[in-house]
Amino acid sequence: MKKLLKHLKEYKIQCLLAPLFKLLEASFELFVPLVVASIIDNGIANDDKMYILQRFGLLVLLAMVGLTSAIFAQYYSAKAAVGFAGKVRYMLFSHIQTLSFTDLDKLGTSTMVTRLTSDVNQVQTGVNLTLRLLLRSPFIVFGAMIMAFTVDVKTAWIFVIVIPVLFVIVFAVMANTLPRYNKIQKNLDIVVTKTRENLSGTRVLRAFTRQEREIYEYTEAVNELEKVQEITGKISNIMNPATFIVINVATAFVIYVGAIRVDVGDLTQGQVVALVNYMSQILVELVKLANLIITITKAIASGNRVQTVLEIENFDILNMNKEDNVLGSETGSDASNNDYAVSFENACLTYAGDLEPSLENLNFSVKEGENIGIIGGTGSGKTSVVNLIAGYYKATEGSVKVCGKDVKKYEKNELLNKVSVVLQKAVLFKGTIRDNITFGMDNVSDEDIMEACRVAQATDVVNSKKGGLDALVEEGGKNFSGGQKQRLSIARALLRKPEILILDDSSSALDNLTDAALRREINNLSYKPTLFIISQRTSSLEKCDRILVLEDGKPVGLGSHQELLSKDSGKFCDVYEEIYNSGFVSATKNA
């Protein structure tokens, strides 16, 4: 949390003026009981109406000056808190963008959303209230005690006894609630996760009639959150009644002692009223302080959660630094592979948290301009190969080289300028078709965009929408079909004219004719990219130069379509034959 507060430096003036104006307001408030006492002792006792009116006017003046000071304090504290929260939110979002896929997998989407929203908002509230009340409340408490001594020293000793007791109660409650607020935020992460999964997968839930089960699991998560909140709330609620009891007992004692001393002539009635008012001020301020401490406790817990994310260093960069000596220089083996666009050398990949590798012993090289198909059953590791080539994940053993250079040695954006990937799930962002196709690129002509659309078979998608390239795309591309989203995603990748193009099952929603036309146009591209096509249909890979067959993360076949099916070729693969026959049978039945 301390590291976050350094971002308040830009708001030094506001952080100084906010508490100063609040202290100014508090100073005027401390004079009110003395004015009231003078009205009772001098105005009412002597039936001096003019004196009463003058003192009443003074009270109004004190109230107006206090209100003005409070407004300025609120303005400056809000400006500092909102500006600070904005910087933290921006910094957190920017840092998340730099994290590796491994780090994002560990954190989880719901956790990051909670920390960007709920946690930062909690920190913002904590900063706002701290600037306004953290100095004001103790100032009023100790100021009231000092002012009580100016009224009557003997009675004021009650304040000296009461205030330490009240502080013990406040800090005892704070010590017990701080760790519980951390647990509340963790349980909130679980509830957000369940909510997000249910909202994004509502169609699947209904298709498999899982509504009741999901409602039960969600209810369990909410109940667990509720239990922790109830326990924390009960402990926090002890503060108010405990402070009220102490203050009211002290007030009763002040009235009792004051009545005796008024009776013997040591005190006036106005002085007793002043002492009671000061005790009441202490009560009000301690209630405020108690609530402030609870808010600060929550803010500290939330701030620490935000800080833990900011302290995460990129997993891939850390590993790269550790392996610098092992990887060696750019000469030697790297130089010998410059003829290859991509080469795998005993590459293995184990995702964080997994016990078994998703890919192992991957050894093959791909020449520039070569078309490579990758096929295998579900969970065989096809997408993991894409993750290694694009650098989304780094090989845990062995190496992957692109254009003769180890993927681990590429700068942040250097590799992605060479490689374009169209992922399994086509993603469109809210905006226009133009914005989505030119995503990450500037100053692109309409002719280049339409050429990419033509190759991607997306021309009719653009022309069918009112506004053409400026047609509106709703959040997540909800107003486009699956096939339309895939074609626009492919156009986005083609617009960059990459050296390596990877289509990760990105034509699964296309019919056979459109799929065939797409592959034909890609093969006729003038800049001849090295092409990787991942598919579950052998018909999409027949024209590839070579096809890599995977099973359980291991390569079990590598060759052309004919070689993998021919038992006399020496490259026959029974896994590929099984996939081919299953597709052939399905096609025959459909025909």
Side-chain angles (χ1 to χ4, degrees):
M1 180 64 182
K2 291 180 181 179
K3 294 180 181 179
L4 292 182
L5 295 179
K6 66 182 181 181
H7 298 289
L8 276 172
K9 289 181 180 179
E10 295 183 19
Y11 303 94
K12 287 181 180 177
I13 296 176
Q14 289 84 353
C15 290
L16 179 64
L17 291 177
L20 282 179
F21 275 108
K22 209 66 182 172
L23 291 180
L24 182 62
E25 178 208 358
S27 299
F28 288 114
E29 191 173 325
L30 287 173
F31 285 107
V32 170
L34 295 180
V35 176
V36 173
S38 66
I39 291 174
I40 295 172
D41 292 338
N42 300 322
I44 296 175
N46 299 324
D47 196 22
D48 189 343
K49 295 180 180 179
M50 184 58 65
Y51 185 86
I52 294 172
L53 289 174
Q54 288 175 349
R55 292 299 171 178
F56 179 76
L58 181 58
L59 287 176
V60 172
L61 179 62
L62 290 174
M64 293 301 296
V65 174
L67 175 62
T68 304
S69 300
I71 291 172
F72 276 107
Q74 176 63 57
Y75 171 76
Y76 287 120
S77 61
K79 188 172 182 179
V82 172
F84 165 75
K87 286 189 67 66
V88 170
R89 192 177 285 110
Y90 174 80
M91 180 176 59
L92 180 60
F93 183 80
S94 300
H95 181 70
I96 289 172
Q97 298 301 315
T98 67
L99 296 178
S100 68
F101 279 58
T102 302
D103 296 321
L104 297 177
D105 291 342
K106 288 179 180 177
L107 288 171
T109 304
S110 59
T111 297
M112 289 183 285
V113 170
T114 303
R115 297 187 192 193
L116 271 168
T117 53
S118 174
D119 286 328
V120 175
N121 287 340
Q122 194 67 58
V123 173
Q124 176 181 323
T125 303
V127 170
N128 190 347
L129 294 180
T130 298
L131 291 176
R132 289 195 291 119
L133 298 178
L134 188 62
L135 290 180
R136 184 190 190 281
S137 293
F139 182 81
I140 289 285
V141 170
F142 289 105
M145 181 179 69
I146 293 169
M147 296 300 286
F149 273 95
T150 65
V151 174
D152 182 65
V153 175
K154 291 182 179 179
T155 312
W157 279 105
I158 299 172
F159 290 76
V160 178
I161 298 170
V162 168
I163 290 173
V165 174
L166 293 172
F167 273 102
V168 168
I169 294 171
V170 168
F171 286 103
V173 171
M174 185 180 73
N176 278 279
T177 54
L178 181 58
R180 297 181 189 277
Y181 283 120
N182 285 317
K183 191 173 181 180
I184 286 173
Q185 291 301 110
K186 289 178 182 178
N187 285 342
L188 182 61
D189 285 344
I190 297 172
V191 173
V192 173
T193 300
K194 296 297 295 181
T195 305
R196 179 176 173 275
E197 287 179 344
N198 278 271
L199 290 175
S200 60
T202 181
R203 294 184 181 182
V204 178
L205 291 176
R206 292 180 182 180
F208 289 90
T209 61
R210 283 270 302 183
Q211 296 98 314
E212 291 186 6
R213 178 64 184 174
E214 289 300 320
I215 290 172
Y216 172 78
E217 292 181 359
Y218 181 80
T219 304
E220 287 290 305
V222 171
N223 288 341
E224 186 63 30
L225 174 62
E226 185 181 353
K227 285 179 183 177
V228 181
Q229 287 178 322
E230 280 182 358
I231 294 171
T232 308
K234 286 176 182 177
I235 296 174
S236 298
N237 288 337
I238 293 173
M239 191 178 297
N240 280 355
T243 53
F244 268 95
I245 289 171
V246 173
I247 287 291
N248 284 312
V249 169
T251 302
F253 192 68
V254 166
I255 295 172
Y256 173 74
V257 173
I260 294 174
R261 302 197 66 205
V262 167
D263 191 47
V264 298
D266 290 342
L267 284 178
T268 65
Q269 292 174 337
Q271 288 176 319
V272 174
V273 171
L275 290 170
V276 172
N277 280 341
Y278 282 127
M279 191 63 75
S280 298
Q281 284 185 349
I282 291 174
L283 172 61
V284 171
E285 291 306 319
L286 279 173
V287 170
K288 289 182 182 177
L289 184 61
N291 293 328
L292 173 63
I293 288 174
I294 291 172
T295 302
I296 292 176
T297 303
K298 292 179 180 179
I300 292 172
S302 296
N304 289 336
R305 282 163 53 83
V306 172
Q307 187 61 44
T308 55
V309 177
L310 292 173
E311 289 175 349
I312 295 175
E313 295 185 56
N314 189 297
F315 178 85
D316 293 336
I317 293 176
L318 286 175
N319 279 357
M320 181 178 70
N321 293 335
K322 290 177 183 178
E323 297 172 7
D324 274 345
N325 295 329
V326 179
L327 293 173
S329 66
E330 295 291 333
T331 58
S333 61
D334 279 358
S336 64
N337 287 325
N338 280 335
D339 292 336
Y340 294 108
V342 179
S343 59
F344 294 83
E345 299 176 4
N346 296 316
C348 300
L349 173 62
T350 303
Y351 292 106
D354 286 355
L355 299 176
E356 298 293 329
S358 297
L359 280 177
E360 43 185 331
N361 301 325
L362 207 58
N363 279 290
F364 75 99
S365 298
V366 181
K367 294 180 179 179
E368 292 182 4
E370 194 173 2
N371 288 0
I372 300 296
I374 302 177
I375 198 169
T378 302
S380 59
K382 303 186 293 298
T383 299
S384 296
V385 176
V386 175
N387 290 334
L388 290 178
I389 298 172
Y392 297 151
Y393 295 86
K394 302 301 188 291
T396 48
E397 292 182 33
S399 64
V400 180
K401 296 179 180 178
V402 173
C403 300
K405 183 178 179 180
D406 197 299
V407 166
K408 296 177 182 177
K409 295 181 180 179
Y410 274 95
E411 293 297 326
K412 182 178 178 181
N413 294 321
E414 185 185 359
L415 179 62
L416 296 180
N417 287 332
K418 292 178 177 289
V419 182
S420 278
V421 183
V422 184
L423 299 171
Q424 283 178 316
K425 184 180 179 181
V427 177
L428 297 181
F429 298 94
K430 186 176 182 179
T432 63
I433 293 177
R434 186 195 308 277
D435 295 335
N436 276 275
I437 295 179
T438 61
F439 198 73
M441 299 181 70
D442 298 317
N443 303 320
V444 182
S445 66
D446 287 359
E447 290 76 14
D448 289 338
I449 297 175
M450 292 308 299
E451 175 60 22
C453 289
R454 184 190 65 80
V455 176
Q457 308 302 302
T459 304
D460 62 321
V461 178
V462 176
N463 293 335
S464 65
K465 297 291 182 178
K466 185 179 180 180
L469 290 174
D470 295 315
L472 180 66
V473 178
E474 294 181 8
E475 182 182 353
K478 291 186 290 187
N479 55 331
F480 289 81
S481 68
Q484 289 174 331
K485 287 193 285 188
Q486 285 188 339
R487 283 179 280 172
L488 291 175
S489 297
I490 294 170
R492 178 167 56 201
L494 290 171
L495 187 62
R496 305 177 73 91
K497 296 184 179 180
E499 296 178 33
I500 300 171
L501 176 62
I502 303 174
L503 304 179
D504 183 4
D505 204 14
S506 54
S507 60
S508 58
L510 304 184
D511 57 75
N512 290 331
L513 289 176
T514 306
D515 187 21
L518 171 65
R519 285 184 279 111
R520 181 174 62 253
E521 291 295 338
I522 291 176
N523 289 329
N524 292 334
L525 288 171
S526 58
Y527 54 90
K528 297 294 181 185
T530 303
L531 179 63
F532 287 84
I533 301 176
I534 298 176
S535 179
Q536 295 183 1
R537 299 184 299 195
T538 56
S539 58
S540 299
L541 308 178
E542 289 182 2
K543 299 294 178 64
C544 290
D545 299 318
R546 286 184 296 164
I547 301 171
L548 173 68
V549 186
L550 296 172
E551 185 178 36
D552 295 331
K554 300 175 183 176
V556 293
L558 180 63
S560 66
H561 174 71
Q562 290 77 17
E563 289 174 336
L564 293 172
L565 290 177
S566 175
K567 295 185 178 180
D568 300 326
S569 65
K571 296 184 178 181
F572 171 74
C573 178
D574 54 350
V575 175
Y576 185 77
E577 182 185 46
E578 183 180 347
I579 296 172
Y580 173 77
N581 289 335
S582 63
F584 180 77
V585 170
S586 297
T588 303
K589 286 182 178 179
N590 291 334

